[in-house]
Amino acid sequence: MAKIDEIKEYIGALKVYLALVTALLMGDISGTVKLFQSGNTDFIFWLGVITIVVLSIVFIFLSKHMHKKISELKDLK
């Protein structure tokens, strides 16, 4: 497999991971907001808040890594 094809496949995989993290983040945000609105701010609420922060950091990392690989792909052409 050519180097360019390998990078394209890697970018495709990163897109799938980014979509998964986005779906998890949206679900976690909606669940945490629902807990907050009901006034139920116990351990699960704070775990949700921490998970939102962690998933946001993972999202940023994946996005930056994907853009770096896209730039690398542009340099190969």
Side-chain angles (χ1 to χ4, degrees):
M1 183 183 295
K3 182 73 172 171
I4 195 166
D5 291 331
E6 185 179 333
I7 293 175
K8 283 182 183 179
E9 287 293 322
Y10 188 71
I11 291 170
L14 284 175
K15 285 181 185 179
V16 171
Y17 300 147
L18 197 59
L20 177 65
V21 169
T22 302
L24 289 171
L25 193 56
M26 289 188 321
D28 190 22
I29 289 171
S30 66
T32 305
V33 167
K34 190 168 189 159
L35 284 172
F36 181 74
Q37 287 176 340
S38 69
N40 191 3
T41 55
D42 57 352
F43 175 74
I44 298 296
F45 171 78
W46 291 110
L47 186 64
V49 170
I50 291 169
T51 307
I52 289 171
V53 172
V54 170
L55 285 173
S56 298
I57 292 169
V58 169
F59 181 86
I60 291 168
F61 172 76
L62 281 174
S63 297
K64 287 186 181 238
H65 191 65
M66 188 171 68
H67 286 289
K68 181 180 165 187
K69 284 295 182 181
I70 291 171
S71 295
E72 185 179 321
L73 184 65
K74 184 176 69 173
D75 293 339
L76 286 177
K77 288 186 176 185

